[in-house]
Each structure stands twice: as C-alpha cells, then as structure tokens.
Amino acid sequence: MRLVMFGAPGAGKGTQAKRLSEHLGVPHISTGDMLRENIEQRTELGRAARSYMDRGELVPDDIINGMVRVRLEESDCEHGFILDGYPRTIPQAEALDRMLGEMGIELDAVFDLEVPDEEIVRRLSGRRVCRQCGASYHVVFNPPKQPGVCDVCGGQLYQREDDTEEAVLNRIAVYKRKTKPLLEYYTRRGLMRTVDGTGSIDEIFGRLLGLLPGGK
Ligand code: ADP
Ligand code: ADP
Ligand code: ZN
C-alpha cells in the first residue's frame, strides 16, 4: 500500500501515519522527521535546511526530492510506504511521479485530513515530540503516560522550535499558498480522499481504515 498523508501543519498526519504504518506493516516516511534527524546529526543537509525550518518556510525542492529518492530506494519500501509531509509543492509532486514511474509503481491514495485553523493552532501550541522516535503528543489532547517521556521508546519529549506562534502562523500561510494546490493535482488523478480530521485520534483512524483502497 502506497499512501500520502496530506493536510495542514498540525492536522494529525504524523499521529495517524504512525498508526497506519503499524497496521499495514509499511514504513512511515516523514520528511520533517528526516530533516530534524539531519539537523541533530549535524549533516550538510541539516545545515542547509535549518534556517528555512526555523522560520516556517519550505526547504528547497531539490534538497527534499533528493532525500526522498534515496529513502524510497531502500528495501523496506518494497511493499509500500506512507509519506507524511511530502509532497508539499507541485514540483515535488511532479518529482515524486517521476521517481515512482522509474520504479514502475503508483500511489494508491492520498488522504487529506481536514481541520479548521483554530484547532490547528491549539494542536500545535501544545505539541510535544519525541527526540528519539518522532512520536507526537499533546499536553492536553494526547498526553504521555509520564510527563516529558515517550510512551513508545522512553525518549525525551521537547517542543519544536517552529511550534512558536509566529512560525506556526507562517507555516499555515505557506501551506495555503504552496501546498493546497496539490489538492486539485491529486483530485484530478482520482487519488484524493478527504477525511474529517476532527474528533478523537481513534475516531479519525477508524475513518482512514474505512477509506483504504481495497478495504484493507
Ligand atoms: P508539520 O508536522 O508541522 O506539518 P513537518 O515536521 O512535516 O511539520 O515539517 C517541518 C518543517 O520541515 C517544515 O516547516 C519545512 O520547513 C520542512 N519540511 C518538511 N517537509 C518538507 C517538504 N516536503 N518540503 C519542504 N520543506 C519541508
Ligand atoms: P502533523 O504531523 O500533521 O503536523 P501531528 O500528528 O504532529 O500533526 O499532530 C499535531 C498535534 O495535535 C500533536 O500535538 C498531536 O498530539 C495532536 N493531535 C493529533 N491528533 C489529534 C486529535 N485527533 N485531537 C487532538 N489533538 C490531536
Ligand atoms: Zn519515542
């Protein structure tokens, strides 16, 4: 199963992608997590990406496309994958089409998680992320069992630098300007499945399962 999770920052893409990844047994590929790993490990790519990320701007397409291409060629993607936070621009979607075309494979569906702006701001302002595995928590809506500690791996939770109010508002604006046009791109290809992204994490997961191609 080859899926794309689409939606505004904070819509719940990562939270749901992790669940789907376990359910389907295919890797969760988050470009945001990959970029943060590169920053943590002080790679060249991390250095190039950091200033864009801190400001809530998009990292240039060439950097992202190259990073995704290498990842999709790894053997664990053979039976599918869940892309989270990619593609985010029309040129990225076109690059992904070319990559998949060369590999002789196609996407099965794109899920758009729809969440109103006020809820996005509430979700991002309370988000805490695991430094080790990237799992997302929320201080009120989805708290870890022990404050500051990841339920999954025991890693330390932290607040992302781009979850400050100023960067959040900029990311929402960037989403509307550069990413939203992809809705039409994938609707035209018959891949887009719109999902109500409000309600509990379990409820939304149930909606996604109900919309999986082939009812898997
Ligand atoms: P969120 O979970 O809030 O949607 P992500 O973790 O997906 O945020 O991304 C964090 C930041 O990393 C983005 O604001 C952007 O700077 C950069 N980024 C992640 N994915 C992409 C991408 N596909 N294209 C360009 N920049 C990206
Ligand atoms: P994205 O990957 O789209 O940026 P996340 O999965 O990181 O979004 O979720 C953003 C924040 O909202 C996190 O703090 C997460 O715990 C919280 N969250 C996710 N799903 C829900 C939900 N259904 N209701 C309330 N909060 C949620
Ligand atoms: Zn963790």
Side-chain angles (χ1 to χ4, degrees), residues 130 133 150 153:
C130 175
C133 76
C150 178
C153 77

Side-chain angles (χ1 to χ4, degrees), residues 7-11 13-14 30-33 35-36 49 52-61 64 67-68 84-89 92 124 127 136 160 162-163 171:
K13 301 181 294 296
S30 156
T31 43
D33 286 352
L35 291 168
R36 282 184 289 279
Y52 298 99
M53 294 174 74
D54 284 349
R55 282 181 281 132
E57 294 293 331
L58 294 182
V59 176
D61 290 336
I64 300 286
M67 185 178 84
V68 170
D84 161 14
Y86 180 89
R88 248 174 161 106
T89 62
Q92 288 182 17
L124 290 179
R127 172 157 69 181
S136 251
R160 278 169 43 176
D162 59 347
D163 280 346
R171 273 152 67 213

Side-chain angles (χ1 to χ4, degrees), residues 7-16 84 119 123-124 126-128 136-138 141-142 160 171 197-201 204:
K13 301 181 294 296
T15 302
Q16 298 296 337
D84 161 14
E119 175 68 10
R123 288 187 186 182
L124 290 179
R127 172 157 69 181
R128 297 292 182 274
S136 251
Y137 297 85
H138 190 283
F141 304 141
N142 181 28
R160 278 169 43 176
R171 273 152 67 213
T198 63
S200 74
I201 292 171
I204 298 160

